[in-house]
């Protein structure tokens, strides 16, 4: 079976005899064995994962993230974390990835322009090679439900990384005081 989730310390595998053995063996069960740690590194950079407040990055999962997006308020700034990941949503960073493999420029926008008035300190940012992350600050303005779109627009690394829509997030127009 393949090990797909990144780990710096390593996974260990344990084999345990679960049933009684035939009578000609010296004991009714064999002892168990635990392997030495098996380190799993990220694969090649392939896609982006956009993570909103309330969500947590979850390497090795289909979505690459978990948790419930927090309700946002119009006019209040939020952070959007965009990670460059391999096929299994493990963050690609240097090291252990080869130098430059996670280098790239990412652009964010509101998908389908559902909030044409949103503000951002910068709509493009470079992925930080040592962390595999770019952090954007956005201020949504129009109440409703929106999705942030993260897209790679760097030609230097060849095939663009797969774009990532964030989870949908509700935006209230009422400031809770």
């Amino acid at each position: 079976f393949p090990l797909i989730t990144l780990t710096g310390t390593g996974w260990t595998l344990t084999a345990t005899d679960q049933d009684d053995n035939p009578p000609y063996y010296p004991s009714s069960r064999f002892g168990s064995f635990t392997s030495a740690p098996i380190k799993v590194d990220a694969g090649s950079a392939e896609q982006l994962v956009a993570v909103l407040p309330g969500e947590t990055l979850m390497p090795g999962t289909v979505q690459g993230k978990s948790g419930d997006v927090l309700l946002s308020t119009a006019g209040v700034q939020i952070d959007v974390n965009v990670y460059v990941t391999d096929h299994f949503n493990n963050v690609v960073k240097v090291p252990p990835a080869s130098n430059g493999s996670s280098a790239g420029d990412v652009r964010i926008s509101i998908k389908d322009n559902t909030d044409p008035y949103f503000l951002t300190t910068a709509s493009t940012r470079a992925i930080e090679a040592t962390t595999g992350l770019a952090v954007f600050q956005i201020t949504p303005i129009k109440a409703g439900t929106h999705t942030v779109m993260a897209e790679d627009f760097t030609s230097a690394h060849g095939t663009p990384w797969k774009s990532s829509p964030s989870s949908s997030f509700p935006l209230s127009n009422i400031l809770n005081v």
Side-chain angles (χ1 to χ4, degrees):
F1 61 91
L3 298 174
I4 61 171
T5 306
L6 177 77
T7 173
T9 57
W11 295 103
T12 56
L13 303 176
T14 302
T16 304
D17 189 358
Q18 296 290 320
D19 58 356
D20 291 333
N21 298 312
Y24 49 85
Y25 285 105
S27 66
S28 61
R29 293 191 182 187
F30 292 109
S32 64
F33 171 79
T34 300
S35 72
I38 302 165
K39 187 177 177 190
V40 176
D41 291 333
S44 300
E46 190 173 305
Q47 58 196 10
L48 300 170
V49 176
V51 179
L52 296 173
E55 294 181 311
T56 303
L57 185 69
M58 291 295 292
T61 64
V62 173
Q63 296 298 320
K65 56 192 167 187
S66 70
D68 296 323
V69 177
L70 299 176
L71 175 68
S72 296
T73 303
V76 176
Q77 182 177 290
I78 62 172
D79 285 347
V80 178
N81 295 329
V82 178
Y83 297 89
V84 60
T85 69
D86 67 7
H87 180 74
F88 299 106
N89 292 309
N90 295 300
V91 177
V92 178
K93 54 187 176 179
V94 179
S98 59
N99 193 17
S101 66
S102 63
D105 296 317
V106 178
R107 172 182 16 234
I108 64 163
S109 61
I110 300 294
K111 186 177 179 189
D112 298 329
N113 202 27
T114 57
D115 185 356
Y117 311 108
F118 93 102
L119 306 170
T120 181
T121 54
S123 62
T124 61
R125 293 210 183 269
I127 293 287
E128 174 60 45
T130 57
T131 62
L133 169 67
V135 179
F136 294 88
Q137 290 77 35
I138 68 167
T139 305
I141 302 298
K142 185 178 176 186
T145 301
H146 306 290
T147 302
V148 173
M149 194 67 180
E151 299 174 280
D152 170 28
F153 67 98
T154 308
S155 59
H157 56 249
T159 304
W161 300 321
K162 183 179 171 189
S163 299
S164 173
S166 71
S167 302
S168 296
F169 66 96
L171 187 67
S172 167
N173 63 356
I174 300 171
L175 185 60
N176 295 323
V177 183

